[in-house]
């Protein structure tokens, strides 16, 4: 027989449905060429994503003289990673975001 006293327990119920903004977003213009561009390589920490991005970076450098910069950000991420990519002057991004 247990002599422990019952503790008060609270439960918080949350709505799992994401809120969304129904406003219109204009997509960025597509690059007409990769030649000499600066590309953000965005790794979210998933296994071997960094290897994939380093392989892509080497190929882009060889074939298009692309400069690249690796950004790492785990999940969940906030606006700060987008701000870092923009501040670095990157003109496009390649991301490894899945398993």
């Amino acid at each position: 027989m247990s002599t422990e006293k019952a503790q008060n327990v609270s439960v918080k119920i949350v709505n799992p449905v994401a809120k969304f903004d129904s406003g219109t977003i204009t997509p960025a213009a597509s690059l007409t060429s990769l030649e000499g561009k600066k590309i953000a390589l965005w790794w979210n920490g998933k296994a071997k994503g960094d290897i994939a991005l380093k392989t892509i970076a080497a190929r882009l450098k060889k074939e298009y003289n692309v400069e690249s910069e690796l950004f790492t950000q785990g999940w969940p991420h906030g606006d700060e990673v987008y701000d870092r990519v923009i501040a670095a002057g990157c003109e496009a991004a390649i991301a490894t975001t899945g398993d």
Side-chain angles (χ1 to χ4, degrees):
M1 181 172 170
S2 175
T3 59
E4 294 179 27
K5 291 185 177 183
Q7 295 181 357
N8 290 335
V9 176
S10 65
V11 176
K12 181 178 180 180
I13 299 172
V14 296
N15 182 352
V17 177
K19 295 179 183 177
F20 64 92
D21 181 357
S22 61
T24 301
I25 298 173
T26 303
S30 297
L31 296 177
T32 57
S33 170
L34 292 175
E35 190 65 40
K37 302 295 186 199
K38 184 170 185 182
I39 307 293
L41 304 175
W42 186 344
W43 178 41
N44 67 349
K46 297 285 186 177
K48 300 187 180 180
D50 57 331
I51 295 169
L53 289 173
K54 288 175 185 175
T55 302
I56 292 167
R59 185 87 180 253
L60 289 172
K61 179 69 174 172
K62 180 180 177 182
E63 294 186 22
Y64 300 100
N65 195 32
V66 165
E67 179 184 349
S68 60
E69 185 168 339
L70 181 65
F71 294 86
T72 59
Q73 182 69 37
W75 187 260
H77 59 267
D79 289 343
E80 67 278 353
V81 73
Y82 300 112
D83 294 340
R84 288 184 4 236
V85 169
I86 293 167
C90 295
E91 299 167 271
I94 299 171
T96 57
T97 57
D99 287 334

